[in-house]
Amino acid sequence: MQAVILAAGQGKRFMGEGQTPKPLVLLLGLTLLERSILSCRNAGIDELIVVLGHRSEEISPLLSEWEKRHRVRIFPVENRSWREGNGTSALAAASHVSGQFLLLMADHVFAPAVIPRLIAATGGSGSCWLLVDPRLRYDTDPDFTRVRLDDNKITDIGKGISPYDAVDTGIFLCGEALFAALAQSTGAGDGSLTGGIKRLATAGQMRAVDIGPHYWMDVDTKQRLKQAERKLINNLPKPHQDGFIATFINRPLSVRLSAALARRPFLSRRLTPNTLSLVSLLIILAGAGLFAVTGYTGTLIAGILIQFGSILDGCDGELARLTFRESRFGAWLDTILDRYGDIAVSTVITYAGWIQHPSPWIWAGGIIAMAGLLLAGYTKKEYQIRYKESLPNTGWAKLIKRDLRLFMLFIGAVAGHPYCALLAMGLLSHIGIWRLFHNGLRLRGHQSDEPPTAK
């Protein structure tokens, strides 16, 4: 599937004389146009037609750079009639597409999940589809394009219609019928995209898909740009995956740090998420080393470093999501580095405890606690793979979250008893593991047995 991105307009309400062209306005380290391109790439669409108009000579050179950097194919199309409306820009792409295609606006910001949602909901139907937001049906903003629905059929669309049932998000899945409608609308003196969509609606060829819980924003003013930034930042936490400490302590701090890094393209492009994962490990290793230093001051600093490393450990994924650099390798690397950090911390704390109380039982307790750390990560992954579902969002499941384990070590360091904290952490990890195992036994009765996979 191809995607057409309209980036030809002037954006009068946003821009002033001499300012950056609107598609090139930065939002947390990426331009608005680049975000649309990367949203398509993440949805598996790697052939994009970008329609240019106003100040195209400033935008076009960047498309070649992004094509190489993001490994997509970008075809710029010039629309010399862009002043007549965004419908003429969509019409300019007619000779470059075939079959169904996505149609996006360069100045719209949205959750990456909405494109797969739209494609999945249409089921390959030949009709034209529009992603709509019914949550805004009582909004009085005159700039929203309103949509009237009959079930999922769009019966009317426009800024002034009343009553209405949803708002147009500017994200379409269209076929060649759109171009015929736009040609008719433009010939009748209406060069807007809405004019062509209205003709399709009258012909019964427009359908709607609910955007669901996902966010989107039409960035047509500087105030909306700030709102879009807040939306992106507010959607960084993972409430169904984060543990207790991540939810109430780590995330409120890490998202601010991630946003600060993303706002500085010089830093965010060079400080990759994988680099952040490595920096987090180095900080935790430094903390682990200080646990071997005698005296309360060294232990306290070690605990602070461990907790800071835990906070920074959330930044790699947050920066990856903000800048579209999520990868399977990055997630795998983060998991491996976390285990190295856990082993180092538990080993050095056990060694420091043995120095103070030289007994084989100190090593036995440390080894059992370390086993809990390692099995916690392994058990979570195996549970998700074997049962093909996320971890249950229960208090017991949160006992095996890494954020809680490292925070307990921080508290133990503040109290001056890191070894006792290590034992308590290991005990809670084993309890959480066995509770999760019990949940797996319960699910076993509801799933058919499968032959074991070869190891």
Side-chain angles (χ1 to χ4, degrees), residues 100-422:
Q100 279 196 313
F101 63 95
L102 277 170
L103 178 62
L104 308 173
M105 312 297 126
D107 59 351
H108 285 203
V109 176
F110 50 86
V114 305
I115 292 180
R117 180 184 180 91
L118 175 61
I119 294 173
T122 60
S125 168
S127 299
C128 292
W129 298 79
L130 168 62
L131 205 63
V132 300
D133 190 348
R135 296 170 296 187
L136 299 175
R137 58 177 171 268
Y138 301 115
D139 199 293
T140 57
D141 191 329
D143 296 313
F144 282 141
T145 300
R146 303 173 178 184
V147 179
R148 187 178 299 152
L149 303 173
D150 180 9
D151 195 15
N152 75 331
K153 182 184 289 187
I154 297 176
T155 59
D156 200 4
I157 184 171
K159 289 187 181 296
I161 66 170
S162 183
Y164 66 102
D165 303 290
V167 165
D168 166 12
T169 68
I171 304 170
F172 298 83
L173 183 61
C174 300
E176 296 178 2
L178 173 65
F179 299 125
L182 287 172
Q184 294 172 5
S185 178
T186 303
D190 185 355
S192 68
L193 178 61
T194 300
I197 298 299
K198 186 183 286 285
R199 287 178 178 267
L200 288 175
T202 301
Q205 293 181 284
M206 280 301 306
R207 299 288 187 273
V209 174
D210 190 330
I211 195 172
H214 304 295
Y215 67 86
W216 72 282
M217 175 67 69
D218 178 2
V219 185
D220 57 355
T221 65
K222 292 183 179 180
Q223 181 181 1
R224 290 269 178 87
L225 181 68
K226 294 178 181 178
Q227 292 173 354
E229 180 175 299
R230 286 197 295 269
K231 278 187 181 289
L232 291 174
I233 293 172
N234 291 340
N235 278 274
L236 285 177
K238 298 179 176 181
H240 299 296
Q241 299 180 30
D242 287 342
F244 298 119
I245 303 304
T247 299
F248 299 107
I249 297 177
N250 291 6
R251 285 292 187 194
L253 297 173
S254 66
V255 295
R256 286 168 173 77
L257 179 57
S258 298
L261 291 173
R263 289 190 191 101
R264 294 159 176 81
F266 178 82
L267 282 177
S268 64
R269 289 175 185 171
R270 290 161 179 79
L271 189 62
T272 66
N274 291 344
T275 303
L276 277 177
S277 297
L278 183 59
V279 171
S280 172
L281 171 66
L282 293 177
I283 291 173
I284 288 176
L285 291 179
L290 284 174
F291 276 122
V293 177
T294 58
Y296 177 73
T297 301
T299 299
L300 178 61
I301 295 174
I304 293 172
L305 287 176
I306 293 293
Q307 179 57 20
F308 179 65
S310 178
I311 293 170
L312 192 62
D313 189 42
C315 291
D316 53 3
E318 292 163 358
L319 186 64
R321 294 195 293 281
L322 282 177
T323 58
F324 289 87
R325 286 185 287 183
E326 292 178 280
S327 68
R328 294 178 181 177
F329 174 79
W332 188 32
L333 175 66
D334 185 51
T335 299
I336 293 172
L337 296 182
D338 286 350
R339 300 294 80 76
Y340 275 116
D342 292 345
I343 292 171
V345 169
S346 55
T347 300
V348 178
I349 289 177
T350 302
Y351 170 75
W354 178 75
I355 290 294
Q356 296 178 13
H357 305 282
S359 166
W361 291 108
I362 296 293
W363 282 106
I367 291 172
I368 293 172
M370 185 191 301
L373 299 180
L374 299 180
L375 283 172
Y378 179 79
T379 303
K380 287 189 298 183
K381 297 292 183 184
E382 283 293 303
Y383 179 91
Q384 293 169 320
I385 292 171
R386 302 303 174 187
Y387 293 102
K388 297 179 175 60
E389 66 172 44
S390 300
L391 289 177
N393 191 28
T394 64
W396 289 111
K398 293 181 185 293
L399 289 180
I400 56 177
K401 298 286 187 177
R402 190 169 188 255
D403 59 321
L404 177 61
R405 300 199 300 267
L406 295 184
F407 186 75
M408 289 179 65
L409 291 180
F410 164 68
I411 296 299
V414 171
H417 298 286
Y419 181 76
C420 294
L422 177 68

